[in-house]
Amino acid sequence: MKDSDNNIVVTVAGTDFAFAPTLSDHNDYLNSVMPNDKVGPARTMLLRTIDKAQKEALVAVLDTVPGAVVQIHAALSSAYAPTIEISVKK
């Protein structure tokens, strides 16, 4: 969900985390994803875009909950870059 400052708020286990991704953050993530490394770039994007006051709390979740990095990133990414309809005509 986007709040009034265009931050994206992701609720994780009852805690709201505010992220402020930019196009550059999103593109950097896409450019750094490798076949054998998807978690690292996702974690980096989360830590770059989280509200600085919440970074420590987010790190605690990422370091203790298996799969949290990918799940939180997926929620953030789908809110920031929603699917658009694209078609190709011959």
Side-chain angles (χ1 to χ4, degrees):
M1 148 180 137
K2 289 190 178 183
D3 70 13
S4 60
D5 295 324
N6 282 332
N7 288 340
I8 296 172
V9 178
V10 178
T11 304
V12 179
T15 301
D16 288 345
F17 288 99
F19 296 88
T22 65
L23 182 58
S24 178
D25 294 319
H26 183 70
N27 289 342
D28 287 348
Y29 163 75
L30 293 174
N31 289 334
S32 60
V33 172
M34 301 296 287
N36 294 326
D37 187 13
K38 294 172 184 61
V39 176
R43 182 183 177 100
T44 298
M45 182 175 174
L46 292 175
L47 295 179
R48 281 185 184 161
T49 60
I50 186 70
D51 180 292
K52 301 301 178 210
Q54 296 182 298
K55 189 172 186 175
E56 189 175 315
L58 178 64
V59 168
V61 172
L62 300 180
D63 288 348
T64 59
V65 180
V69 170
V70 174
Q71 292 178 57
I72 296 168
H73 180 268
L76 177 62
S77 183
S78 69
Y80 180 74
T83 303
I84 59 173
E85 184 176 328
I86 299 173
S87 62
V88 177
K89 296 183 180 183
K90 293 183 179 183

